Amino acid sequence: MSSTKLESKGDATKLHLLEVGAELIHQQGFNNTGIAQILKSAGVAKGSFYFHFADKEAFGIAVIDYYINRFSTLLEPIFKDQTLSPYNKISVFNQTFSELFTKNGFCSGCPIGNLCQEMSGISPTFAAKLNVALARMTSAFEQVIAHGIHVKEFKAELNPSTCAAFLVDSWEGAVLRMKLEKSVKPLENWFAFMKEMLLVV
Amino acid sequence: MSSTKLESKGDATKLHLLEVGAELIHQQGFNNTGIAQILKSAGVAKGSFYFHFADKEAFGIAVIDYYINRFSTLLEPIFKDQTLSPYNKISVFNQTFSELFTKNGFCSGCPIGNLCQEMSGISPTFAAKLNVALARMTSAFEQVIAHGIHVKEFKAELNPSTCAAFLVDSWEGAVLRMKLEKSVKPLENWFAFMKEMLLVV
């Protein structure tokens, strides 16, 4: 077997561990998910885990990168779609995630929001990485809001930066109540207030 | 010793367990806090814990009641203060909690929000109890908003019920980012948008 093949087999194992771990952590939280359970669910040996990750914290940080990439994969086609106005981009974003949440029974919520809640107070390493994740998410919305102001769809007096931060924060809060109420209603309510906040009357 | 004295000693132990457990769960999360740690921190024997609580879940539910009472103790004097206008009530609420969060180094966030994030997806018992907590919080704001509309300080077209839900959700989201950024800025940003949303221009 060539070293390239070996490397790609290793990469596939690493990705498989991340996929399985990301799902478990999303459902149960980080502290509630043990390495043993990840290994068992993934069907991977302990040695292979420690070949790829120094410890459980390093694995958690890699899982956040995995979440960031998955979020970008869902968000980018919407935000880059030139047939959608800025307002419709935000609407399609909310619809897309509402459908995803509905499909999984509203149980898991936003994996980034969950980890912010669970880990940012107790681990500076997690907090730093989650800050990057939330900043990327906010920056994507900031661009959409700035564009909306530019094309006069959104109110001229809005500050794209503070407005994007509020948009993301309030969405995370709506996702929290959605998990609790097992209903898409908080996300619909969020969007009604976003419409009021953003659109030129 | 009379039975009354015995009972009050038992009540004091129960309250002490709740105080210590509430603090640990607030800092570390529910799953990350073991009964052994609670007993050790409280200096209470195992038998005494199980005399008061059937299991860890029952303890967690009692801790939510403890959080609800603590929140009400802080909120009620503000919301019942007749010298404050509805807008100033919301402002003083945000200031009061901003100061509390600042004092504890922004680490713990909102204990109800934390448990919603951690437990509502995995425990229907927790979800039901947390729903009560969030509904009580929302109802308190709904009354303030309805009053604000009545005295023409707030916009006439607002729906107090959906507006209160959005206010609470977006505040929980702002608290989440506050924990992450270790700064009161997200709460200030939240208040600026609440002002815009509520006040008659």
Side-chain angles (χ1 to χ4, degrees):
Chain A
M1 207 184 272
S2 74
S3 67
T4 316
K5 271 190 185 162
L6 268 175
E7 200 186 320
S8 71
K9 195 189 163 209
D11 285 349
T13 305
K14 189 178 179 181
L15 181 63
H16 181 54
L17 280 167
L18 285 171
E19 283 170 346
V20 170
E23 188 58 30
L24 288 170
I25 291 168
H26 191 185
Q27 282 168 14
Q28 316 174 146
F30 181 74
N31 290 309
N32 210 21
T33 303
I35 293 179
Q37 190 190 6
I38 297 165
L39 296 178
K40 200 180 165 193
S41 301
V44 167
K46 202 173 177 176
S48 184
F49 181 92
Y50 286 104
F51 175 75
H52 293 293
F53 308 101
D55 50 26
K56 196 187 161 196
E57 183 176 73
F59 181 72
I61 297 300
V63 163
I64 298 175
D65 271 324
Y66 176 86
Y67 290 145
I68 296 177
N69 289 334
R70 204 173 54 178
F71 187 76
S72 298
T73 308
L74 283 163
L75 201 64
E76 272 180 17
I78 303 168
F79 281 11
K80 283 186 177 162
D81 185 343
Q82 297 194 357
T83 68
L84 295 172
S85 78
Y87 172 73
N88 286 327
K89 282 177 184 173
I90 295 171
S91 170
V92 173
F93 151 78
N94 195 43
Q95 271 170 15
T96 303
F97 279 85
S98 294
E99 281 162 20
L100 274 175
F101 290 136
T102 305
K103 213 183 275 178
N104 77 19
F106 308 110
C107 278
S108 325
C110 169
I112 297 292
N114 292 356
L115 287 177
C116 286
Q117 199 74 277
E118 186 187 359
M119 299 304 293
S120 63
I122 53 179
S123 161
T125 314
F126 267 82
K129 189 70 186 177
L130 290 164
N131 238 322
V132 173
L134 215 63
R136 276 189 60 172
M137 196 169 161
T138 307
S139 158
F141 281 98
E142 188 177 338
Q143 286 172 45
V144 174
I145 294 168
H147 184 213
I149 296 168
H150 182 69
V151 297
K152 300 187 171 33
E153 191 183 30
F154 293 165
K155 293 169 185 159
E157 66 270 25
L158 290 171
N159 173 321
S161 164
T162 58
C163 194
F166 179 70
L167 181 151
V168 170
D169 295 354
S170 55
W171 189 75
E172 287 291 349
V175 170
L176 190 68
R177 195 191 286 257
M178 172 207 78
K179 264 176 78 174
L180 195 60
E181 295 185 354
K182 307 258 178 290
S183 150
V184 89
K185 231 178 94 184
L187 294 177
E188 290 170 355
N189 195 38
W190 171 84
F191 188 67
F193 281 94
M194 285 304 109
K195 187 179 172 183
E196 196 64 39
M197 178 180 92
L198 295 165
L199 274 189
V200 169
V201 215
Chain B
M1 208 183 272
S2 74
S3 68
T4 317
K5 270 188 185 163
L6 267 174
E7 199 187 319
S8 70
K9 197 192 162 203
D11 285 351
T13 305
K14 189 179 180 181
L15 180 63
H16 182 54
L17 280 167
L18 285 171
E19 283 170 346
V20 170
E23 188 58 31
L24 288 170
I25 291 169
H26 192 185
Q27 282 167 15
Q28 315 174 148
F30 181 74
N31 290 309
N32 210 22
T33 303
I35 293 179
Q37 191 190 7
I38 297 166
L39 296 178
K40 200 180 166 194
S41 301
V44 167
K46 203 173 176 175
S48 185
F49 181 92
Y50 286 105
F51 175 76
H52 293 293
F53 308 101
D55 50 26
K56 197 187 160 195
E57 183 177 74
F59 181 73
I61 297 300
V63 163
I64 298 175
D65 271 325
Y66 176 86
Y67 290 146
I68 296 176
N69 288 334
R70 205 174 53 180
F71 186 76
S72 298
T73 308
L74 284 163
L75 201 64
E76 271 180 17
I78 304 168
F79 280 11
K80 283 187 177 161
D81 185 342
Q82 296 194 355
T83 68
L84 294 172
S85 78
Y87 172 74
N88 285 328
K89 283 178 184 171
I90 296 171
S91 170
V92 173
F93 150 78
N94 195 45
Q95 271 170 16
T96 303
F97 280 85
S98 294
E99 282 162 20
L100 274 176
F101 290 135
T102 306
K103 213 182 275 178
N104 77 18
F106 309 110
C107 277
S108 324
C110 169
I112 298 291
N114 292 355
L115 287 177
C116 287
Q117 199 74 277
E118 186 186 0
M119 299 304 294
S120 63
I122 53 179
S123 162
T125 314
F126 268 81
K129 189 72 185 178
L130 290 163
N131 237 322
V132 172
L134 215 63
R136 276 188 61 171
M137 195 169 161
T138 306
S139 158
F141 281 98
E142 188 177 336
Q143 287 173 43
V144 174
I145 293 168
H147 184 213
I149 297 168
H150 181 71
V151 297
K152 299 187 171 31
E153 191 182 30
F154 293 165
K155 294 170 185 161
E157 65 270 27
L158 291 171
N159 173 322
S161 165
T162 58
C163 194
F166 179 70
L167 179 151
V168 170
D169 294 354
S170 55
W171 188 75
E172 287 292 347
V175 170
L176 190 70
R177 194 190 287 256
M178 172 207 77
K179 262 175 81 175
L180 195 60
E181 294 185 356
K182 306 258 177 291
S183 149
V184 89
K185 231 178 93 184
L187 293 177
E188 290 169 356
N189 196 38
W190 171 83
F191 188 68
F193 281 94
M194 285 305 108
K195 187 179 173 183
E196 196 65 39
M197 178 179 93
L198 295 166
L199 273 191
V200 169
V201 216

